[in-house]
Amino acid sequence: MTNEKLSLKDYAKALGPGAIMSAAIIGPGTVTTASQQGALYGYTSLWVILAACLIAYFFQEPAMRIAIGCKETVMVGVREHLSSGVAKFLWIVIFVGSIAFQAGNLTGAAMALEFFIPSISTLTWSVIMSALAFIVVMMNRYKLIENINQVLVILMVLAFVLTAVTSGPDIGDMVTEGFSFHIPGGKVV
């Protein structure tokens, strides 16, 4: 390990993978669902974000330990240090989860695009975006994917900041309503 100081350029280069992870975790499906939830229930479901963050941490923490402890990717670590059967099972779980997650992202983005161009249906937008994503991935150009994701993440951050500044939320209401820990709408199902 070297003790070289990293330059600002080095830090900027390292942001690429982080931006991709941010775009993967907070995608259009999350933004659309959170926006609808906020419009319907105000701050009353804010506590769900805190619960989701805690669950996500404890769900991902074992993967971080495996990757750091084994000094290899999580799936290689699982396969080599647990078993190939566990690795295959996890691969299937991750694959199915990824499909569901991406379906949510495509639906959320399609709903947003349909807002701007209502003559094109959500299904059509989803198909168009799926085809474009497939083409970009098949081009096998990591830098292009990274740049696209960085632009999308920057746009999401700007949208969040602009919305927060222009909506002027009442901090007191956010705390009292947002952490009242009751289920919005009064129903579990």
Side-chain angles (χ1 to χ4, degrees):
M1 185 189 248
T2 63
N3 288 332
E4 289 182 35
K5 284 198 167 214
L6 297 175
S7 69
L8 185 58
K9 186 177 179 180
D10 293 328
Y11 281 110
K13 284 181 183 179
L15 289 177
I20 289 173
M21 285 307 300
S22 297
I25 293 168
I26 304 173
T30 306
V31 173
T32 303
T33 304
S35 298
Q36 284 184 324
Q37 188 75 6
L40 289 172
Y41 301 113
Y43 300 124
T44 59
S45 59
L46 194 56
W47 66 272
V48 174
I49 293 173
L50 177 63
C53 289
L54 289 171
I55 291 167
Y57 171 79
F58 288 109
F59 179 73
Q60 295 171 7
E61 194 266 345
M64 291 184 292
R65 285 181 179 266
I66 290 171
I68 293 168
C70 298
K71 293 183 176 50
E72 52 201 2
T73 66
V74 174
M75 292 308 291
V76 170
V78 168
R79 185 181 67 235
E80 291 182 1
H81 299 282
L82 294 178
S83 76
S84 65
V86 172
K88 288 175 186 172
F89 172 75
L90 286 177
W91 185 89
I92 291 168
V93 168
I94 291 168
F95 181 74
V96 171
S98 296
I99 290 172
F101 189 80
Q102 192 55 37
N105 281 340
L106 288 170
T107 303
M111 289 169 66
L113 289 169
E114 188 179 18
F115 176 79
F116 291 109
I117 305 174
S119 60
I120 300 175
S121 71
T122 302
L123 178 62
T124 304
W125 276 121
S126 295
V127 170
I128 291 168
M129 288 184 302
S130 296
L132 290 173
F134 182 76
I135 290 167
V136 170
V137 170
M138 287 296 112
M139 290 170 56
N140 201 21
R141 300 206 32 215
Y142 173 78
K143 195 66 178 170
L144 176 63
I145 296 169
E146 182 179 328
N147 290 338
I148 289 169
N149 275 310
Q150 283 178 336
V151 168
L152 292 174
V153 169
I154 289 168
L155 289 173
M156 280 194 297
V157 168
L158 289 174
F160 290 149
V161 170
L162 184 62
T163 301
V165 169
T166 58
S167 67
D170 184 320
I171 303 298
D173 286 346
M174 283 177 64
V175 172
T176 57
E177 290 177 33
F179 297 98
S180 61
F181 299 103
H182 78 277
I183 296 172
K187 296 181 182 179
V188 175
V189 179

